[in-house]
Amino acid sequence: LRHEIDQIDSQIIELVQIRGSLAARIARIKRKEKLPLITGSREKDVFGKYSRALGELGKTMAGALLFRSRQHSEADLKEDES
């Protein structure tokens, strides 16, 4: 059972990394189009989806995912500037 949990944890980590890469791609597109990088309604939707599915834990997870995505996007944009 622990092995199964370890496999799930590895999948979650991989998905978070993929999500961050996609967020960075979206940030590059928004930057080219001169659009705001953060969309409040989108973040609200993400928080809502996670909190409906997981309650308070969902809010925490959504916050962590959005924070990580912003970090990924900012790092990617800094690389583009150099």
Side-chain angles (χ1 to χ4, degrees), residues 16-28 30-31 36-47 59-79 81:
V16 169
Q17 291 170 334
I18 291 168
R19 189 183 196 287
S21 294
L22 292 171
R25 287 175 58 192
I26 290 169
R28 283 195 301 273
K30 285 183 169 187
R31 186 175 180 203
L37 293 180
I38 296 174
T39 307
S41 61
R42 172 67 182 152
E43 289 196 358
K44 184 178 176 181
D45 290 344
V46 171
F47 273 104
K59 289 180 186 178
T60 301
M61 289 180 68
L65 286 170
L66 292 170
F67 177 77
R68 176 68 179 123
S69 292
R70 279 191 214 112
Q71 282 183 319
H72 215 68
S73 296
E74 289 171 5
D76 193 65
L77 291 174
K78 285 180 184 175
E79 283 181 22
E81 291 174 354

Side-chain angles (χ1 to χ4, degrees), residues 4-38:
E4 288 181 49
I5 288 174
D6 290 344
Q7 286 179 320
I8 291 169
D9 287 342
S10 294
Q11 291 171 344
I12 291 169
I13 291 166
E14 182 179 355
L15 290 171
V16 169
Q17 291 170 334
I18 291 168
R19 189 183 196 287
S21 294
L22 292 171
R25 287 175 58 192
I26 290 169
R28 283 195 301 273
I29 292 167
K30 285 183 169 187
R31 186 175 180 203
K32 285 181 186 176
E33 300 293 324
K34 299 187 186 324
L35 297 170
L37 293 180
I38 296 174

